[in-house]
Amino acid sequence: MNDAVDMAELRDLYRELILDHARNPRHFGKLPAATHSAEGINPLCGDKLKLYLQLDDSSTITRAAFEGSGCAISVASASLMTDAITGVPAASAEQFVDAVTGSLSGSDEAGHEINDERLAKLRALAGVREFPARVKCATLAWHALRSALHQDSQPASTE
Ligand code: ZN
C-alpha cells in the first residue's frame, strides 16, 4: 500500500497473490459487532493494524475484519488471515497462529509447516523467511489474532 515492495524479495510464484491481497485487502474495515479485537504494531516497519473478530456461542469465528496501514506484506498477510480464519473454531485459529508464525520465523527447530488446507494460500508468505526484516511484517496480523483471542488489553507488538 504505502510501501514499494522489493520484488526481488518475493517469490515469483506467489507475487501475484500477495499483490492482489495488498491492493485489494479482503475483510478491510471495522466490524461493529465484534466480540474480540486487538491492535498490532510492528515498529520496525511502521505497520499498524486493528483486528476485529466476531465469535459465536460455540467460540467459532464467524467474521473477521481488520483496518490499519502498513506495507504490502503486512496488509496481504492480514487479508489472507481474515479469509483463512472465517468459520474456524477459536482453538483451531490458535493452532494456525503457531503454524504460521513458526513457519515464517523459522524459529521452530521442529519445523512447523503450513499443512492445513485452509492455510494453503498462506504458503505465499513463506518466502519472507529468507528476509528476516520482513518476517515481522508477515507475522504481525497473527500476533494480533492471538491477542484478540486472549482478549489482551495491550497492543500486540512484534518487538
Ligand atoms: Zn511491514
Side-chain angles (χ1 to χ4, degrees):
M1 303 257 276
N2 59 5
D3 182 39
V5 173
D6 182 354
M7 284 303 113
E9 292 186 1
L10 297 175
R11 287 184 175 161
D12 291 352
L13 185 60
Y14 294 119
R15 184 183 299 166
E16 287 303 317
L17 182 67
I18 299 273
L19 289 179
D20 176 36
H21 278 264
R23 287 177 184 142
N24 305 296
R26 320 302 196 261
H27 314 285
F28 191 85
K30 280 189 167 64
L31 192 57
T35 56
H36 295 59
S37 67
E39 290 176 61
I41 50 172
N42 174 19
L44 214 62
C45 180
D47 309 317
K48 286 184 206 164
L49 63 81
K50 184 158 187 185
L51 177 69
Y52 303 93
L53 304 175
Q54 190 176 342
L55 273 64
D56 67 11
D57 292 341
S58 58
S59 286
T60 291
I61 299 169
T62 54
R63 292 186 73 186
F66 74 102
E67 59 182 357
S69 61
C71 67
I73 289 173
S74 70
V75 173
S77 183
S79 176
L80 288 161
M81 183 189 80
T82 47
D83 254 357
I85 62 175
T86 301
V88 167
S92 300
E94 288 248 28
Q95 292 171 353
F96 287 3
V97 174
D98 291 336
V100 173
T101 58
S103 172
L104 294 183
S105 67
S107 60
D108 185 351
E109 291 291 317
H112 275 116
E113 286 302 329
I114 304 176
N115 289 325
D116 194 297
E117 272 314 301
R118 289 169 291 190
L119 296 176
K121 288 181 181 170
L122 269 304
R123 292 189 195 115
L125 293 168
V128 302
R129 269 185 296 213
E130 293 163 39
F131 308 97
R134 288 301 202 168
V135 167
K136 288 172 180 173
C137 303
T139 57
L140 173 62
W142 300 85
H143 290 298
L145 173 57
R146 181 180 275 139
S147 289
L149 291 172
H150 293 186
Q151 309 211 40
D152 293 340
S153 56
Q154 294 292 317
S157 174
T158 56
E159 292 304 298

